[in-house]
């Protein structure tokens, strides 16, 4: 037997669940700055904007994103 429990993620930004860049993503993008898209909520503004898991967010409203915490702070402001 197996059971799974699915919940809508808390702390999403416009339907995005973000994480800090992995070492591999930093190497591929040639940067230490940005936040990685971990998941996209179906039907959300991010989904409608065609953002995909694995994409890297580098700025929001013209403000540079260094990591996930920056993205959350900028959106809350």
């Amino acid at each position: 037997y197996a059971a799974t429990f699915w919940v809508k993620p808390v702390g999403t930004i416009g339907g995005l669940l973000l994480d800090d860049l992995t070492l591999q993503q930093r190497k591929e993008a040639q940067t230490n700055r940005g936040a990685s898209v971990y998941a996209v909520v179906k039907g959300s503004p991010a989904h409608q904007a065609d953002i995909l898991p694995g994409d890297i967010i580098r700025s929001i409203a013209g403000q540079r994103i260094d990591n996930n915490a920056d993205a959350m702070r900028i959106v809350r402001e």
Side-chain angles (χ1 to χ4, degrees):
Y1 295 97
T4 61
F5 182 70
W6 295 78
V7 296
K8 189 172 184 178
V10 176
T12 62
I13 300 172
L16 290 176
L17 184 58
L18 300 175
D19 201 359
D20 291 333
L21 296 178
T22 65
L23 179 59
Q24 182 66 29
Q25 287 171 317
R26 290 170 193 232
K27 286 180 181 180
E28 289 174 5
Q30 298 287 311
T31 185
N32 286 318
R33 295 187 174 114
S36 174
V37 176
Y38 180 75
V40 180
V41 177
K42 189 175 182 180
S44 68
H47 183 261
Q48 293 171 359
D50 204 25
I51 296 174
L52 301 170
D55 285 351
I56 296 175
I57 306 297
R58 294 187 183 198
S59 68
I60 296 175
Q63 296 185 44
R64 185 180 76 192
I65 302 298
D66 287 332
N67 53 38
N68 180 31
D70 273 356
M72 297 295 282
R73 178 186 52 77
I74 289 168
V75 170
R76 286 186 184 126
E77 289 175 354

